[in-house]
Amino acid sequence: MGRKFVEDAIVVSNEQLASCIWKLVLKSEQAAVAILPGQFVHLQVDGGLTAMLRRPFSITDVDKAEGTIEITYEIKGKGTQMMTEWQAGHKTNIMAPLGNSWLATVDEGAEINHALLVGGGVGAAPMFMLAKNMVAEGKKVDVVLGARTKELLVLEEKYAGLGLNSLVCATDDGTYGEAGFCTIPAIRMIDENDYDYVATCGPTPVMSAVAAAAVGKVKNVEVSMEERMACGVGACKTCVVDTVNGKVKSCDCGPVFSAEVIKW
Ligand code: FES
């Protein structure tokens, strides 16, 4: 694992994308250039009375030339609610990059020609850089994005600009794209194509259904267990994952795992 940086980052913009989802862009002196797809950042939510209030956030994108980090966050409690108040120029202390990255469980030199990435809800965020890199490397990339309703499908436009082989959206309530869970098109596509890599991130039922369809058929299947994290630094144990190698903390040993080792 590479070097971690602890530094003050400055808010460049903080924009509401949906009723409960925001996009935060931070300017970082050092960390941005070191971030790999799938890694996360530990961010100080409040520098005042509750200075210990730090939270892990997955990273949607980085602009290495500008030194900026883009985070897509969902309001889940007091800390994330407070973050919505941040204006450009606000300073927050960050620790990054943390965790392993996508492809960490794939043999070096393994040939990946056709990949499927499945993101449920804000689980689509940590897969964006992976998709971007794979497309830049000339790989054929299919993406399935799912959300409860159209309004929450906030990353569709960003993914659509990548030049993917295909982009399929699904909403649980049928307000946009295919009606129903994103696992329906994902499982169909796994069945119909010869993927050599499948990655998924999102609610556990999404990941477990995708893993069940892909493991055994697709050589490399990875999942990111980041959704369960609370402290992000090994202290709270909310992120414990049951694996064939015993119980492990996903913030320490992940967030990316081979789907084959997870006991769902
Ligand atoms: Fe707290 Fe992993 S998130 S121990």
Side-chain angles (χ1 to χ4, degrees):
M1 221 166 279
R3 193 169 155 205
K4 292 183 188 61
F5 299 93
V6 179
E7 61 180 0
D8 284 337
I10 308 294
V11 173
V12 175
S13 62
N14 190 23
E15 179 193 338
Q16 186 167 17
L17 301 179
S19 50
C20 57
I21 303 176
W22 288 63
K23 171 179 141 180
L24 174 69
V25 179
L26 296 170
K27 170 95 176 149
S28 126
E29 286 298 324
Q30 298 175 290
V33 291
I35 291 167
L36 299 172
Q39 291 188 300
F40 61 95
V41 56
H42 206 224
L43 194 151
Q44 190 168 33
V45 174
D46 177 15
L49 292 175
T50 49
M52 292 308 289
L53 189 54
R54 279 178 178 267
R55 287 288 175 264
F57 292 90
S58 64
I59 296 161
T60 307
D61 202 4
V62 294
D63 183 328
K64 294 194 176 185
E66 293 289 326
T68 53
I69 301 171
E70 180 181 327
I71 293 163
T72 310
Y73 67 97
E74 202 168 6
I75 302 172
K76 284 188 172 166
K78 187 177 159 232
T80 38
Q81 185 67 52
M82 269 163 38
M83 283 169 61
T84 65
E85 312 275 315
W86 290 358
Q87 307 280 338
H90 177 92
K91 200 197 285 179
T92 175
N93 193 264
I94 65 168
M95 188 194 297
L98 297 175
N100 63 1
S101 53
W102 291 111
L103 304 173
T105 76
V106 174
D107 290 341
E108 217 173 306
E111 210 174 316
I112 295 174
N113 297 307
H114 194 186
L116 172 69
L117 315 184
V118 183
V122 288
M127 292 196 307
F128 180 78
M129 283 171 72
L130 173 66
K132 184 163 93 170
N133 284 5
M134 284 184 153
V135 170
E137 288 163 5
K139 300 184 197 319
K140 219 167 132 182
V141 182
D142 297 328
V143 171
V144 176
L145 303 178
R148 290 198 303 279
T149 187
K150 181 177 191 287
E151 191 231 352
L152 303 177
L153 214 51
V154 294
L155 293 175
E156 185 201 2
E157 215 173 296
K158 199 165 162 73
Y159 272 97
L162 283 180
L164 301 168
N165 182 55
S166 73
L167 175 60
V168 175
C169 295
T171 49
D172 301 357
D173 66 357
T175 45
Y176 187 73
E178 291 195 27
F181 296 137
C182 61
T183 48
I184 299 168
I187 292 167
R188 184 183 66 230
M189 289 161 76
I190 290 167
D191 203 39
E192 290 172 354
N193 291 277
D194 279 324
Y195 292 114
D196 36 32
Y197 178 80
V198 169
T200 180
C201 183
T204 302
V206 170
M207 293 194 291
S208 62
V210 171
V215 171
K217 181 169 195 287
V218 178
K219 190 161 187 310
N220 299 293
V221 184
E222 291 190 314
V223 297
S224 176
M225 310 298 282
E226 55 98 27
E227 208 206 29
R228 299 179 184 203
M229 286 184 206
C231 75
V233 287
C236 73
K237 298 199 179 136
T238 52
C239 67
V240 167
V241 177
D242 214 359
T243 75
V244 294
N245 306 314
K247 291 193 191 306
V248 298
K249 288 184 243 172
S250 67
C251 63
D252 269 352
C253 307
V256 174
F257 293 87
S258 163
E260 287 180 31
V261 307
I262 305 291
K263 289 185 177 174
W264 295 103

